[in-house]
Amino acid sequence: GKLLNELLKQAGIDHEEDVYFCNVIKCRPPKNRKPTKKEINIHKPWLLQQIKLIDPKFIILTGSTAVKTILEVNNPISSMRGKWIKKDGREIMTIFHPSYLLRFSSKETEKPYYLTLQDLKKVSSKLYAL
């Protein structure tokens, strides 16, 4: 959470005022493993209801589990990130998961951390243009 909050701050997004966080599944799987397809299918209706109730203008999908669940695709994030995707009347941006960024923490240009920050700056620009 700390890394994502730091990235949001660097991008100019107030994570306390302008962001609502939710997870694909509502509990942590044992040993913090990726959730199974069955677990995702059990929790997905709650996630979709949350999105419906919050009614966000934009959604940021962090990581492959979120991308696969919401967009129902198997594309790698590296091929989708940085582009706005429209679905169900909402605009969606996919970004690398913070745990991935911790493993590949270089802040050099064109590395995952830098790219994620650029993607979040796009979100910030669109958010504050409203």
Side-chain angles (χ1 to χ4, degrees):
K2 288 180 185 178
L3 178 58
L4 182 56
N5 287 342
E6 180 59 31
L7 282 162
L8 290 168
K9 183 178 176 182
Q10 287 180 44
I13 299 171
D14 185 336
H15 78 273
E16 292 182 3
E17 294 291 324
D18 297 322
V19 178
Y20 178 84
F21 294 97
C22 58
N23 291 305
V24 171
I25 65 168
K26 305 306 175 195
C27 58
R28 189 177 300 262
K31 298 182 182 177
N32 204 25
R33 63 164 167 71
K34 278 191 166 190
T36 65
K37 195 169 206 157
K38 180 179 178 183
E39 289 167 334
I40 291 169
N41 288 335
I42 289 169
H43 290 258
K44 188 174 178 179
W46 284 307
L47 174 63
L48 295 178
Q49 184 64 18
Q50 252 183 314
I51 293 169
K52 182 179 176 183
L53 290 171
I54 299 301
D55 194 25
K57 300 283 188 245
F58 316 112
I59 296 175
I60 302 169
L61 299 176
T62 59
S64 63
T65 299
V67 169
K68 288 176 184 177
T69 301
I70 297 299
L71 297 179
E72 299 175 333
V73 297
N74 285 316
N75 303 24
I77 292 172
S78 58
S79 71
M80 302 174 68
R81 55 137 303 273
K83 302 170 193 149
W84 286 104
I85 300 163
K86 289 196 179 220
K87 183 175 182 191
D88 301 328
R90 299 187 200 289
E91 294 195 66
I92 298 171
M93 176 71 68
T94 64
I95 64 171
F96 294 113
H97 195 280
S99 64
Y100 179 80
L101 299 178
L102 288 171
R103 290 192 303 273
F104 301 95
S105 59
S106 172
K107 295 181 182 178
E108 294 176 37
T109 303
E110 301 307 313
K111 298 291 184 181
Y113 184 97
Y114 172 86
L115 295 172
T116 299
L117 183 56
Q118 299 315 303
D119 296 343
L120 290 173
K121 285 180 180 180
K122 289 179 184 179
V123 173
S124 178
S125 293
K126 193 171 277 239
L127 174 65
Y128 296 117
L130 291 177

